[in-house]
Amino acid sequence: MRATDPGQAIAALCLHPDDFAVRMARDGVGGAYTGGTQVVKVCGITSSEDALVACQAGANLIGVIFAPKSARKVTPEQAKAVVQAVRNFGERHQDHTFKPPNDESPLPHLVSCSRQLAEASRRPLVVGVFQNQDSSFVREMVDSCGLDLVQLHGQEGFAAAKVESCGVPAIRVVDIVVDSESGRAAENAVETILESITSDPIAILLDTAIKGQKEGGGTSRSFDWTIAEKVQAAGLPVIIAGGLSPENVKDAVAGTRPFGVDVSSGTEASPGRKDHQKVRDFVQNAKQAAVEANKGF
C-alpha cells in the first residue's frame, strides 16, 4: 500500500458497514482520503468549440473565468455559449441541484460534498471563476449564464462560499504561498489549511501563489504536491492546480492521488485559446494515471 499513512488508509476503507457511520460521526476526523482522482477540470475556456473538445476528452468540470484581470476573461455571452454547449453534450436541459449534506463539521461535510461532486460531474458541469468580485455580480452571472458552480479565487474568505451568497455551491481556492526564488512553501502550510477550512464550500482547490504578489493563481508554477498529499492524509479531499500540463499530470496523480486536478495555461495554444491535442492528452493522462494509482489501494 502506497498511502502516506497506511493505518489511516485502511481505516478509511470502512470494511465493515458500521465503520462508515462511526467514522462520519466523528467530529472533524474522517480518516485519510483514499478515493483517488475523480474530477478533471479544464479551465480558461472561452469558446463553445473548446468546451466541446474538453467534454469529448472526458473533462468533468469546464471553467470560464470572469476575473477582471485575466487574459482569459469571458463575456456573459461567451459564458452562455459555453454553458449551452456543455449542456447539449451532456443531454442536460436544466440546472443541476446539489443536496446540502447534513454534516456540520468541515471535514465530514467536504467528504460528503466530494462524493456528490464526483457523481454530478459525470455529466460535465460549468464553473464560473471569480476573484474579489461582489456577490451580487456573482449571482447575476450564475443566473444569467446558467453556471452550475462557482470558484472563488480571491480574498473573499470562506463565508463568501455559502450557497446563499453565490446562488450555487462554490469551490474555495486556498493559495499555497511559495517563495519566488526557492519555490518553497511555509513549514506550517498543511496545518494552516486544515485550521482554515469551513463547511461553506463544496470543495477545496489548492493553487500556487507567489510570496509578495497580491493576486494568487495563474502563476503557471507548481507547489510542493506533498502538501496536498498530507492534507488528504488528514481526511480532506482536494483539487490541485498550478503548473499542471499533459507532461506532468501523470506524476501529480500517481504521487499525490488528489481528488481532482485543474489545468488552464498548460493546455493552451495562446491565452484563451486551447490546443485541442493538449486538452485531450491532459485528460487522458490524468484519467489513465488515476486508474493505475488505484491499483495500489
Side-chain angles (χ1 to χ4, degrees), residues 225 244-254 261 281-282 285-286 289:
W225 293 330
L244 291 177
S245 68
E247 292 73 31
N248 66 12
V249 71
K250 283 187 176 181
D251 291 336
V253 170
V261 289
D281 289 345
F282 182 88
N285 290 348

Side-chain angles (χ1 to χ4, degrees), residues 150-165:
V150 301
Q151 180 175 308
L152 301 181
H153 220 297
Q155 306 301 315
E156 303 94 341
F158 274 81
K162 293 179 183 293
V163 173
E164 296 82 1
S165 178

Side-chain angles (χ1 to χ4, degrees), residues 4-190:
T4 305
D5 187 332
Q8 278 189 311
I10 291 170
L13 292 176
C14 301
L15 299 180
H16 189 279
D18 293 340
D19 292 342
F20 179 78
V22 171
R23 181 169 66 84
M24 291 304 291
R26 292 203 302 259
D27 184 12
V29 180
Y33 170 72
T34 59
T37 303
Q38 301 180 48
V39 171
V40 177
K41 177 169 174 275
V42 177
C43 201
I45 297 288
T46 61
S47 70
S48 56
E49 179 186 7
D50 286 352
L52 186 57
V53 168
C55 290
Q56 292 170 336
N60 304 96
L61 301 176
I62 305 299
V64 291
I65 299 176
F66 291 89
K69 295 182 180 180
S70 175
R72 302 158 186 88
K73 178 185 176 184
V74 295
T75 64
E77 290 71 28
Q78 286 175 304
K80 289 177 186 177
V82 168
V83 168
Q84 191 59 52
V86 172
R87 289 193 180 189
N88 287 344
F89 174 84
E91 298 181 343
R92 182 165 58 92
H93 306 293
Q94 58 187 7
D95 298 343
H96 180 83
T97 302
F98 288 88
K99 181 180 178 181
N102 295 323
D103 306 300
E104 295 182 359
S105 299
L107 278 180
H109 172 89
L110 287 164
V111 169
S112 296
C113 285
S114 71
R115 294 192 186 98
Q116 278 201 56
L117 183 55
E119 178 66 26
S121 63
R122 290 183 180 182
R123 293 187 179 189
L125 304 175
V126 180
V127 183
V129 181
F130 300 86
Q131 189 173 49
N132 300 321
Q133 288 158 289
D134 191 84
S135 60
S136 62
F137 174 73
V138 174
R139 290 188 69 105
E140 180 184 352
M141 293 301 100
V142 167
D143 293 339
S144 63
C145 300
L147 304 175
D148 299 296
L149 300 161
V150 301
Q151 180 175 308
L152 301 181
H153 220 297
Q155 306 301 315
E156 303 94 341
F158 274 81
K162 293 179 183 293
V163 173
E164 296 82 1
S165 178
C166 300
V168 291
I171 299 169
R172 175 65 253 183
V173 176
V174 175
D175 290 330
I176 306 297
V177 181
V178 301
D179 183 82
S180 59
E181 296 183 2
S182 68
R184 294 179 180 175
E187 292 185 2
N188 66 338
V190 173

